Amino acid sequence: MNPEQIRFTEPGPSPVPLLADRFRAALGAAFGRKYWGVDPLIRPSQHADLQANVAMALAKELDRRDPREQKRDPREVAQEIVDRLDVQDVVSEVRISGPGFINMTLSDKWIVAQLKRISADERLAVRAAVLPQRVVVEFSSPNVAKVMHVGHLRTTIVGDAIARILEFLGHDVIRDNHIGDWGTPFGMLIEYLLDFEGGTVAGLDAFVNDTGAFYKAAHARFESDEEFAGRARRRLVALQAGDEDTLRYWRRLVDVSMRSYNALYERLGVKLTDDDVKGESFYNEILPQVVDELEMNRLAVPSEGALCVFLPEFRGRDGGPKPVIVRKSDGGYNYTTTDLATILYRLDELRANRIVYVVGDEQTEHFELLFAIAQRANFLAGGAVLEHAKIGLVTDPRTGSKLKSRSGEAVKLSELLDGATERATAALIESGRGEMFDDATRAAIIDAVAMGAVKFADLLVARDSKYPFDLDRMIAFTGKSAGFVQYAGVRMKSVLRKGGLTPESAVAPILIGAKEERDLALHLLDFGITLEQAGAAAEPHQLAGYLYELARFFTAFYEACPVLKDGIDEKTRASRMALCAVTLRTLVTGLDLLGIPAPDRM
């Protein structure tokens, strides 16, 4: 089942899908059944709440249908649609303007009814899928024995957000940390460990203390010492053959690396544990089965001693079909074979309907080849969907190139997070609010601001786009920052606290008076549809953008519509408290789905 084919339990509170259905019925009634499925092109309007732009495009289509007829006027087409449009229960006014725009103003009564529905529902009227999918989300996926760097930030937090959103929508989500824990580097690392001055215990201590330095030293010796390189290659053969002593050292290297990764996941608030790890080594035993299936399907053929797949649509530098090696001439397997085995396992054993790979866009060609081979090999005969959720680079704001440290190496993720914490601490001290809190509260605020800043700045950008890493902008409390969104939540909590209410107890009828109240109310109606779209496209930036706009609409409401000020009548006060409450619940839920904390104080 494709993501766009997901069906939900009931209509949501967003007006756009509801009005789109009503327009389709009107189009069918006016012009025949073939127009029932036409997109009515409903968009926000500067002159009303929404506008449908379908009449202009439809007039051209109707002209083409019978060129002998007089050309249709788009305004006349719009009028024919409006004459058959049944929206009185949702819309208070429908007007045709310009060349055929159909402008609609939503009924305040309908808006209030939807807010009541959202407020009364613990899920904020977000619909659950009728036929939940089993979705594997592959994310983070560092290479064991290497330090996690800034490049892992996006794959880790974007994947975590995708998994959280899909779970909230009712899908069965399997998180998969597909770590690189097999292959050529491990023969080199184990031999370097065995040769380490002071013994293997000292070597493991050195590996723990500075994994990057240990790896670089091992690699330098591999490149310069042929005798050592020969031993490393033989050690790799022993590892692949299942030699117990070799496996014991391999497990130690993997365990040490995973402890460091788990510490970073915990710091970032990412839902990944050891139970979610299935590294490349996990699929070792089924690699021969994969090759057998490719041969049976006549996809894999001998070529210069190796076994290769040739797909005519993928061309090499010589213009001929590009060879994709699935078994090397020495009988070994490679990255592509392992990835095909991973697909087979996820489909046959996990029964996945959808597999989302949250991986850098530099691997686009690899995934295009991989998915094409899986399709040709009939791995996807059950209708499962494979998606490469491409991740763009985090760049240096000065050069626009890949972000690196002063030494020219990729910036360590731990150093990046330390920098964010330092900036958040300095920002709190400069604000003069640091002394207002005890040590534990102050530390919690700094952590929430720092991690929230790093994650929100990243998640606000479309995942396949590059973005410059700028800590000063991230830590700011204004503009498109986590600080601005989190502080809006703090204000909402403060209003409710001072009013003696909780988000659950502020349930008075909501009245719509001021424009700012209405703008905020309308935005609240779109929370569910935003989540559905973000989940279907695996694009958390849609939710992050929604939350920024929610904070912006609330801030305008907060400044224009006093809640606790003397002289406000009781009904208005109770209504505005209820509006604060449902906005807070929406904001906190949305931030949680991005893995971002919503602090009580800042």
Side-chain angles (χ1 to χ4, degrees), residues 95-115:
R95 289 182 295 105
I96 299 171
S97 64
F101 299 116
I102 302 173
N103 288 313
M104 294 166 285
T105 301
L106 296 168
S107 158
D108 286 354
K109 181 180 178 181
W110 183 83
I111 295 171
V112 166
Q114 301 312 304
L115 283 178

Side-chain angles (χ1 to χ4, degrees), residues 1-9 123 126-137 161-175 351-356 387 528 531-538 593:
M1 186 187 301
N2 291 328
E4 61 269 21
Q5 294 174 322
I6 296 296
R7 295 292 177 264
F8 293 92
T9 48
R123 285 178 51 82
V126 176
R127 305 180 295 177
V130 174
L131 296 174
Q133 292 186 315
R134 175 164 287 184
V135 188
V136 174
V137 182
I162 291 169
R164 288 169 182 255
I165 291 168
L166 290 172
E167 277 183 330
F168 191 75
L169 292 171
H171 299 292
D172 178 12
V173 175
I174 299 173
R175 292 168 171 80
R351 302 293 180 187
N353 307 112
R354 180 184 180 192
I355 305 172
V356 182
E387 300 172 39
L531 290 182
E532 291 170 21
Q533 291 167 350
L593 294 179

Side-chain angles (χ1 to χ4, degrees), residues 433 477-478 482-499 501 503 550-561 563-564 576-577 579-581 583-585 587-588 591 598-602:
R433 297 192 301 274
F477 288 88
T478 58
F484 176 72
V485 177
Q486 288 172 318
Y487 191 62
V490 169
R491 279 178 159 176
M492 298 172 206
K493 292 179 180 181
S494 176
V495 167
L496 292 170
R497 191 165 53 243
K498 290 176 181 177
L501 295 173
L550 183 65
R552 191 174 66 82
F553 281 123
F554 173 79
T555 300
F557 158 77
Y558 180 85
E559 293 172 353
C561 304
V563 181
L564 301 173
R576 291 177 178 173
M577 292 281 278
L579 188 54
C580 283
T583 305
L584 175 61
R585 289 176 55 210
L587 187 78
V588 170
L591 285 174
D600 294 334
R601 293 176 171 82
M602 286 175 71

Side-chain angles (χ1 to χ4, degrees), residues 191-204 206-207 214 221:
E191 282 301 316
Y192 192 73
L193 178 66
L194 293 172
D195 281 0
F196 200 83
E197 185 176 351
T200 57
V201 173
L204 283 171
F207 182 74
F214 188 95
R221 186 167 175 194

Side-chain angles (χ1 to χ4, degrees), residues 306-322:
L307 202 64
C308 300
V309 174
F310 294 89
L311 298 180
E313 63 268 36
F314 293 93
R315 297 283 169 175
R317 292 180 180 177
D318 62 357
K322 182 175 183 177

Side-chain angles (χ1 to χ4, degrees), residues 244-307:
E244 191 50 48
D245 282 342
T246 303
L247 285 170
R248 180 158 46 90
Y249 291 118
W250 169 76
R251 290 189 193 103
R252 289 183 183 178
L253 294 173
V254 173
D255 288 346
V256 168
S257 293
M258 286 311 306
R259 283 199 295 273
S260 70
Y261 301 156
N262 287 338
L264 287 168
Y265 297 147
E266 183 176 358
R267 189 174 180 185
L268 281 166
V270 167
K271 292 183 177 181
L272 273 179
T273 68
D274 286 346
D275 292 337
D276 301 314
V277 173
K278 281 189 175 62
E280 294 171 359
S281 62
F282 179 84
Y283 303 98
N284 242 14
E285 293 182 1
I286 60 175
L287 297 180
Q289 175 192 342
V290 171
V291 173
D292 288 345
E293 292 210 22
L294 293 175
E295 286 187 293
M296 282 190 297
N297 283 285
R298 299 182 180 180
L299 278 174
V301 295
S303 177
E304 299 182 14
L307 202 64

Side-chain angles (χ1 to χ4, degrees), residues 79-121:
Q79 188 63 58
E80 289 188 59
I81 297 170
V82 170
D83 289 344
R84 293 163 177 80
L85 192 60
D86 180 14
V87 292
Q88 292 84 355
D89 57 330
V90 180
V91 172
S92 60
E93 183 183 16
V94 180
R95 289 182 295 105
I96 299 171
S97 64
F101 299 116
I102 302 173
N103 288 313
M104 294 166 285
T105 301
L106 296 168
S107 158
D108 286 354
K109 181 180 178 181
W110 183 83
I111 295 171
V112 166
Q114 301 312 304
L115 283 178
K116 182 179 180 181
R117 177 182 166 193
I118 293 170
S119 181
D121 185 356

Side-chain angles (χ1 to χ4, degrees), residues 105 107 111 143 193 302 334 346 359 393 421 469 479 501 526 577:
T105 301
S107 158
I111 295 171
N143 288 320
L193 178 66
N334 61 11
R346 290 168 176 171
V359 180
L393 281 177
T421 301
F469 189 84
L501 295 173
D526 284 336
M577 292 281 278

